[in-house]
């Protein structure tokens, strides 16, 4: 469940060039797509975090940061939009497969896997003459016919589910959720000494390095970190020891100040509302603080570890002579995860206690099952409200960095809105490929996303028009954005159970509801959401994760 780096190695051509379908093979870019999982908006240093991410920071210093980049509220939802360029309700993940309610099962758009109404960009790039590689999390279908090897990838080592142990024990993340690993479509098991971030990095470098011809490649490196359970190799466990003793409320304030200084958020920004059910730091007991600090120490170490392995990929590109012609794009698949391990389906505290080695001394090691929790997840989402699984900004806004060849920005910050659906059209245009009207004899839905190339080449200052409506729905939560204004509906206790309106240009924390002051705007946004819902085929859940009726 869901952060992402896209690296395109451009061979003697800039983004401003025209990529017609007749583009010569040697002119087309290589593409390396790296996804990180469940990382918060403000965790990395370029976006205000104190976690050491020198490799990611170097990319930001040489490129552009997007502060208004949107994703879905959960892992597979985002990935379906990433690979199709379309809305998740069209692509088969109207709800996560694990959370489908009886009234949704079997309905179009709710297949629980990447359906055949859309075409995977891996399939289209392969058809266009690309080598296609993948290592890491898939989460877009578990049956053999839904395997990434059947959706366009020639070489692949994958974990099919939403999450699992990061070590070689292959422990299930929660009850009845056994992980499945496959290599090139064949069931396999991880090697002894496996740690997810290290191994997936090694695999993707191996696939790239084994290629002997000069055809372009598309490589997808899909990390499962920092998704829970929180695990990190022993030598990384104490890197952040003692650095979070002031607590999550203090951390939010520190990050807010740094984000304003960096120009990530407006000077007028205030922190989003605190979650009422979560104790503030000064209300915790000494022992509660001890346990909370350890969770964040391990989580932070996982992110620095990711950065270290990103450095390995960048070093490979440099050593192989490709770095100077490389475009890098980085983002997280959704917000930080604020749910504890006993919040997963069919899993309670008794199951966790019975099936885990959760002695405090074993936290972060093999056999432990701990999560970041809501207090730290809210801090990771600074300045926003809420986190993963919600349509508040903390759940769906992601840090995006684009750096390298073809990016006509250096050390700049971009506030124009973009969406994960925009990446597929961008990749296809870069590759000189087009999304087909039919695929394998079947009509397919056209992408809703827009190519970002005009913006990257400074031929445009925007990706989407100011009057364009961008919508979301997830487990009956609703959101719509038009220009600077956002309408959102969240059920109690996390929301009011009513539509609320915010001006995100001055209030990204969603603190000042404008519903009473701007009733016509409120109605316009509500109507726009219903139009969106009808256009993508939303089926509201009956019951489900949040008990919506």
């Amino acid at each position: 469940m869901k952060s992402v780096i896209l690296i395109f190695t451009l061979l003697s051509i800039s983004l401003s060039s025209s990529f017609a379908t007749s583009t010569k093979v040697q002119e087309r870019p290589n593409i390396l797509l790296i996804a990180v999982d469940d990382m918060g908006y403000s965790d990395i240093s370029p976006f205000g975090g104190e976690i050491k991410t020198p490799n990611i920071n170097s990319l930001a210093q040489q490129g552009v940061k997007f502060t208004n980049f949107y994703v879905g509220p959960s892992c597979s939802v985002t990935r379906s939009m990433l690979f199709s360029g379309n809305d998740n309700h069209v692509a088969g993940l109207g709800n996560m497969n694990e959370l489908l309610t009886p009234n949704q099962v079997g309905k179009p758009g709710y297949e629980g896997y990447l359906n055949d109404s859309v075409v995977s960009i891996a399939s289209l790039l392969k058809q266009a003459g690309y080598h296609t590689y993948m290592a890491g999390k898939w989460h877009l279908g578990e049956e053999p016919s839904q395997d990434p090897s059947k959706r366009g990838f020639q070489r692949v080592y994958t974990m099919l589910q939403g999450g699992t142990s990061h070590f070689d024990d292959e422990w299930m993340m929660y009850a009845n959720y056994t992980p499945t690993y496959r290599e090139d479509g064949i069931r396999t098991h991880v090697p002894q000494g496996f740690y997810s971030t290290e191994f997936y990095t090694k695999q993707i470098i191996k696939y790239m390095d084994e290629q002997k011809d000069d055809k372009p490649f598309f490589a997808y490196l899909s990390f499962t970190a920092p998704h829970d359970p929180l695990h990190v190799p022993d030598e990384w466990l104490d890197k952040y020891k003692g650095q979070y003793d002031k607590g999550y409320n203090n951390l939010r304030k520190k990050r807010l100040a740094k984000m304003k200084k960096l120009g990530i958020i407006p000077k007028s920004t205030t922190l989003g509302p605190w979650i009422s059910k979560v104790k503030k730091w000064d209300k915790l007991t000494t022992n509660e603080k001890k346990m909370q600090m350890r969770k964040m120490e391990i989580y932070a170490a996982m992110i620095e570890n990711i950065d270290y392995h990103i450095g390995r990929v960048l070093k490979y590109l440099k050593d192989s002579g490709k770095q100077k012609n490389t475009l890098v794009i980085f983002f997280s698949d959704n917000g930080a995860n604020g749910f504890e391990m006993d919040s997963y389906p069919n899993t309670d505290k008794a199951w966790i206690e019975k099936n885990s080695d959760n002695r405090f001394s074993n936290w972060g090691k093999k056999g432990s099952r701990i999560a970041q929790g809501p207090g730290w997840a809210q801090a990771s989402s600074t300045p926003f409200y809420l986190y993963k699984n919600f349509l508040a900004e903390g759940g769906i806004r992601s840090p995006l960095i684009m750096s390298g060849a073809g990016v006509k920005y250096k050390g700049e910050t971009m506030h124009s809105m973009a969406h994960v659906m925009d990446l597929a059209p961008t990749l296809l245009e870069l590759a000189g490929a087009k999304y087909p009207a039919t695929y394998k004899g079947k009509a397919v839905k056209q992408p809703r996303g827009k190519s970002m190339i005009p913006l990257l080449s400074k031929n445009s200052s925007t990706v989407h028009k100011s009057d364009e409506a961008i919508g979301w729905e997830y487990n009956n939560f609703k959101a719509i954005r038009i220009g600077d204004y956002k309408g959102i509906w969240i059920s109690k206790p996390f929301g009011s159970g009513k539509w609320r309106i915010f001006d995100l240009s001055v209030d990204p924390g969603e603190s000042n509801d404008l519903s009473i002051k701007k009733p016509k705007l409120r109605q316009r946004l509500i109507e726009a959401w219903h139009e969106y819902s009808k256009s993508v085929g939303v089926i509201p859940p009956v019951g489900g994760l949040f008990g919506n009726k």
Side-chain angles (χ1 to χ4, degrees), residues 29 208 275 505 538:
M208 291 187 292
I275 307 164
S505 67
V538 168

Side-chain angles (χ1 to χ4, degrees), residues 3-7 32-37 39 44 52-60 197-198 200-202 204-205 208 221-223 225-226 236 302-318 323 326 328-332 401:
S3 292
V4 178
I5 291 179
L6 298 171
I7 302 179
L32 173 60
L33 168 58
I34 305 178
V36 298
D37 203 352
M39 190 191 77
I44 54 175
K52 298 174 183 176
T53 54
N55 292 298
I56 296 172
N57 194 52
S58 69
L59 297 175
T197 305
E198 185 278 332
Y200 296 142
T201 301
K202 181 174 67 176
I204 208 69
I205 291 175
M208 291 187 292
L221 174 55
S222 179
F223 290 130
W236 289 79
M302 292 179 77
I303 292 176
E304 185 178 341
N305 181 268
I306 290 170
D307 183 84
Y308 169 79
H309 290 290
I310 286 171
R312 291 176 58 203
V313 180
L314 298 179
K315 183 178 185 298
Y316 167 77
L317 292 172
K318 180 179 179 180
Q323 185 184 50
T326 298
V328 182
I329 307 174
F330 172 92
F331 70 94
S332 176
I401 298 171

Side-chain angles (χ1 to χ4, degrees), residues 21 23 86 91 151 168 180 187 218-219 273 281 329 331-332 342 357 388 497:
T21 53
T23 302
N86 217 315
R151 300 309 300 257
D168 60 11
T180 303
R187 182 76 164 92
F218 171 58
W281 191 258
I329 307 174
F331 70 94
S332 176
D342 58 6
D357 182 358
K388 175 183 177 178

Side-chain angles (χ1 to χ4, degrees), residues 225-477:
H227 196 297
D228 52 64
L230 303 183
H231 289 154
V232 75
D234 286 355
E235 61 270 25
W236 289 79
L237 276 170
D238 291 334
K239 277 185 171 285
Y240 287 84
K241 191 172 182 63
Q243 295 192 33
Y244 294 103
D245 57 350
K246 298 289 180 64
Y248 34 67
N249 297 108
N250 178 268
L251 184 62
R252 287 183 93 203
K253 294 176 182 178
K254 289 177 64 176
R255 288 190 177 184
L256 179 72
K258 186 178 178 183
M259 295 172 84
K260 290 181 179 181
K261 184 177 181 180
L262 292 172
I264 302 298
I265 54 177
K267 298 290 186 183
S268 61
T269 302
T270 58
L271 289 171
W274 186 250
I275 307 164
S276 59
K277 71 170 187 173
V278 179
K279 286 184 182 180
K280 290 191 175 182
W281 191 258
D282 60 4
K283 300 300 182 182
L284 299 179
T285 66
T286 299
N287 190 56
E288 286 173 333
K289 290 179 179 178
K290 175 185 175 182
M291 291 189 291
Q292 287 293 329
M293 286 187 290
R294 192 56 175 158
K295 288 183 176 183
M296 190 60 189
E297 289 168 3
I298 298 168
Y299 175 82
M302 292 179 77
I303 292 176
E304 185 178 341
N305 181 268
I306 290 170
D307 183 84
Y308 169 79
H309 290 290
I310 286 171
R312 291 176 58 203
V313 180
L314 298 179
K315 183 178 185 298
Y316 167 77
L317 292 172
K318 180 179 179 180
D319 292 347
S320 60
K322 298 170 180 149
Q323 185 184 50
K324 66 179 181 179
N325 291 320
T326 298
L327 169 67
V328 182
I329 307 174
F330 172 92
F331 70 94
S332 176
D333 66 344
N334 46 246
N337 181 23
F339 289 83
E340 300 287 3
M341 297 300 297
D342 58 6
S343 298
Y344 287 108
N346 307 309
T347 304
D348 56 19
K349 290 181 179 179
W351 187 94
I352 295 294
E353 183 177 349
K354 179 181 178 181
N355 293 282
S356 311
D357 182 358
N358 270 355
R359 295 169 297 153
F360 185 76
S361 61
N362 196 57
W363 280 17
K365 298 181 181 182
K366 189 185 300 186
S368 64
R369 283 190 181 86
I370 58 170
Q372 187 185 19
W376 292 117
Q378 188 68 88
S380 287
S381 303
T382 302
F384 307 133
Y385 181 48
L386 290 173
Y387 33 71
K388 175 183 177 178
N389 282 322
F390 293 98
L391 300 181
E393 294 294 283
I396 59 174
R397 208 190 290 200
S398 167
L400 170 67
I401 298 171
M402 305 184 78
S403 179
V407 176
K408 294 187 177 181
Y409 301 89
K410 186 172 182 179
E412 298 180 58
T413 301
M414 174 68 65
H415 300 295
S416 296
M417 185 176 70
H419 194 284
V420 67
M421 290 187 293
D422 301 329
L423 294 177
T426 303
L427 300 188
L428 293 176
E429 185 172 352
L430 284 168
K434 292 184 178 181
Y435 200 92
T438 61
Y439 186 75
K440 294 185 177 181
K442 175 182 172 62
V444 291
K445 302 289 187 179
Q446 294 302 295
R448 297 169 72 94
K450 307 290 193 302
S451 173
M452 300 172 72
I453 288 178
L455 184 145
L456 296 176
S457 58
K458 287 193 173 182
N459 290 322
S460 175
S461 60
T462 61
V463 178
H464 296 273
K465 296 179 180 179
S466 61
D467 61 351
E468 183 177 349
I470 305 291
W472 294 262
E473 185 276 340
Y474 184 70
N475 280 291
N476 209 30
F477 295 156

Side-chain angles (χ1 to χ4, degrees), residues 34-333:
I34 305 178
V36 298
D37 203 352
D38 288 10
M39 190 191 77
Y41 185 85
S42 66
D43 282 326
I44 54 175
S45 56
F47 277 75
E50 71 295 328
I51 300 172
K52 298 174 183 176
T53 54
N55 292 298
I56 296 172
N57 194 52
S58 69
L59 297 175
Q61 291 172 348
Q62 296 299 316
V64 58
K65 295 181 289 189
F66 284 76
T67 65
N68 272 282
F69 181 70
Y70 284 91
V71 291
S74 66
C75 310
S76 55
V77 167
T78 292
R79 292 159 201 266
S80 70
M81 295 190 284
L82 170 66
F83 272 88
S84 68
N86 217 315
D87 188 86
N88 57 292
H89 298 85
V90 175
L93 276 299
N95 200 348
M96 293 180 66
N97 183 53
E98 298 88 344
L99 301 178
L100 287 169
T101 55
N103 68 305
Q104 295 173 333
V105 173
K107 301 295 176 59
Y110 289 80
E111 291 85 355
Y113 57 87
L114 191 68
N115 64 25
D116 60 3
S117 293
V118 298
V119 187
S120 160
I121 55 172
S123 296
L124 295 178
L125 291 171
K126 178 183 175 183
Q127 185 174 278
Y130 274 64
H131 291 290
T132 52
Y133 314 129
M134 176 187 169
K137 174 175 171 175
W138 177 235
H139 208 194
L140 290 175
E142 299 177 18
E143 296 299 322
S145 62
Q146 300 155 11
D147 190 84
S149 65
K150 303 298 184 182
R151 300 309 300 257
F153 287 102
Q154 296 169 313
R155 297 300 315 278
V156 54
Y157 194 110
T158 185
M159 193 277 295
L160 296 174
Q161 286 76 21
T164 183
S165 169
H166 293 277
F167 294 120
D168 60 11
D169 52 359
E170 297 189 8
W171 272 30
M172 63 184 70
M173 185 170 66
Y174 60 85
N176 303 317
Y177 199 58
T178 303
T180 303
Y181 292 88
R182 291 197 191 120
E183 184 168 19
D184 299 335
I186 299 173
R187 182 76 164 92
T188 189
H189 294 278
V190 300
Q192 186 175 3
F194 171 92
Y195 179 68
S196 63
T197 305
E198 185 278 332
F199 182 81
Y200 296 142
T201 301
K202 181 174 67 176
Q203 283 297 114
I204 208 69
I205 291 175
K206 174 188 174 188
Y207 292 152
M208 291 187 292
D209 196 49
E210 286 177 345
Q211 181 180 319
K212 301 306 178 185
D213 60 35
D214 61 355
K215 290 183 179 180
F217 63 77
F218 171 58
Y220 178 39
L221 174 55
S222 179
F223 290 130
T224 50
H227 196 297
D228 52 64
L230 303 183
H231 289 154
V232 75
D234 286 355
E235 61 270 25
W236 289 79
L237 276 170
D238 291 334
K239 277 185 171 285
Y240 287 84
K241 191 172 182 63
Q243 295 192 33
Y244 294 103
D245 57 350
K246 298 289 180 64
Y248 34 67
N249 297 108
N250 178 268
L251 184 62
R252 287 183 93 203
K253 294 176 182 178
K254 289 177 64 176
R255 288 190 177 184
L256 179 72
K258 186 178 178 183
M259 295 172 84
K260 290 181 179 181
K261 184 177 181 180
L262 292 172
I264 302 298
I265 54 177
K267 298 290 186 183
S268 61
T269 302
T270 58
L271 289 171
W274 186 250
I275 307 164
S276 59
K277 71 170 187 173
V278 179
K279 286 184 182 180
K280 290 191 175 182
W281 191 258
D282 60 4
K283 300 300 182 182
L284 299 179
T285 66
T286 299
N287 190 56
E288 286 173 333
K289 290 179 179 178
K290 175 185 175 182
M291 291 189 291
Q292 287 293 329
M293 286 187 290
R294 192 56 175 158
K295 288 183 176 183
M296 190 60 189
E297 289 168 3
I298 298 168
Y299 175 82
M302 292 179 77
I303 292 176
E304 185 178 341
N305 181 268
I306 290 170
D307 183 84
Y308 169 79
H309 290 290
I310 286 171
R312 291 176 58 203
V313 180
L314 298 179
K315 183 178 185 298
Y316 167 77
L317 292 172
K318 180 179 179 180
D319 292 347
S320 60
K322 298 170 180 149
Q323 185 184 50
K324 66 179 181 179
N325 291 320
T326 298
L327 169 67
V328 182
I329 307 174
F330 172 92
F331 70 94
S332 176
D333 66 344

